[in-house]
Amino acid sequence: MLTLRALGEAQTRLLYEHQLARDFPPSELRPLSAILSMRRAGLYDVLGAYDGGEMVGYALLYCPKEGGVLLLDYLAVEPHARSRGIGTTMLSLLKDHYAPRADALLIECERPKAARDEAEARRRIRFYLLGGAELTRVRIWLFEVQYSILVLPCSQTPRSEDWAEAILSMYRQMLSPRLFAQNVRLIRS
C-alpha cells in the first residue's frame, strides 16, 4: 500500500541532488537553498511516496500560510516503478492529504507548443487530466519556461478562484520583487 511521508532536511538534500536533478531539466529546477528556506519556514512540503519501505516517488509542494490553494511544484515516480499506476495513486493521496487545508492544488506543466519535447509535454498534461485535474486558461512564463496551469480539486466543491491571480500571488510570495518582475509574467493567448 502506498503511503506519503514527510522527508527531513538531509533526505531533501539527497532527493534534490539525485532524483530532482535526474527527473527535471535545470531550467525547471528551483534552487535547493530556496526549497530548504521555504521548508524551514513551514511553507514547503517535501513528501516521499513509499511502497513498504521503498521510496517509489516524491512530491514537493509550496504551501502558503493562508492555504486554500497550494502549488504542486514537483511530482515524479522512480524510473523502475513507472507504468504501475503509482503516479495516479500519488495524486489521489495528495488530494486526500491536503483536503483538510486546501481546496485545490495548482500544477504547472510545460506548454506543449513551447516544449523541447512536445509529445512528452502532452503526455504530462494528459496524466494530470486523467488524475482529475482541469486545464485552466492560464499560461505563464517562469524563468524562460512557458507553462500551462492545471487545477486539481482537493474538495468536492472547491471555491471559485482567479487561477491567474492565485499563481501570481504564490510567486510574489516566493520571489523577491526584482526576481518576480524579471522572470514571471502571464502569457496572453
Side-chain angles (χ1 to χ4, degrees), residues 97 147 158 166:
H97 181 79
Y147 293 98

Side-chain angles (χ1 to χ4, degrees), residues 56 122 165:
V56 293
R122 288 190 188 286
E165 184 50 41

Side-chain angles (χ1 to χ4, degrees), residues 60-134:
L60 288 77
L61 298 96
Y62 175 68
C63 307
K65 288 195 190 290
E66 66 272 3
V69 179
L70 311 180
L71 175 65
L72 177 56
D73 217 6
Y74 300 100
L75 175 93
V77 173
E78 288 294 315
H80 72 276
R82 292 181 183 155
S83 300
R84 295 186 353 213
I86 290 171
T88 302
T89 302
M90 286 175 63
L91 281 179
S92 180
L93 289 172
L94 288 168
K95 286 170 45 176
D96 293 345
H97 181 79
Y98 288 104
R101 70 186 261 209
D103 292 327
L105 304 178
L106 291 182
I107 304 163
E108 305 157 336
C109 279
E110 193 173 13
R111 288 183 73 189
K113 292 190 188 239
R116 289 181 319 277
D117 184 341
E118 185 175 343
E120 178 62 29
R122 288 190 188 286
R123 276 192 295 279
R124 244 182 232 125
I125 288 174
R126 188 170 43 251
F127 162 75
Y128 286 113
L129 293 173
L130 291 171
E134 301 166 15

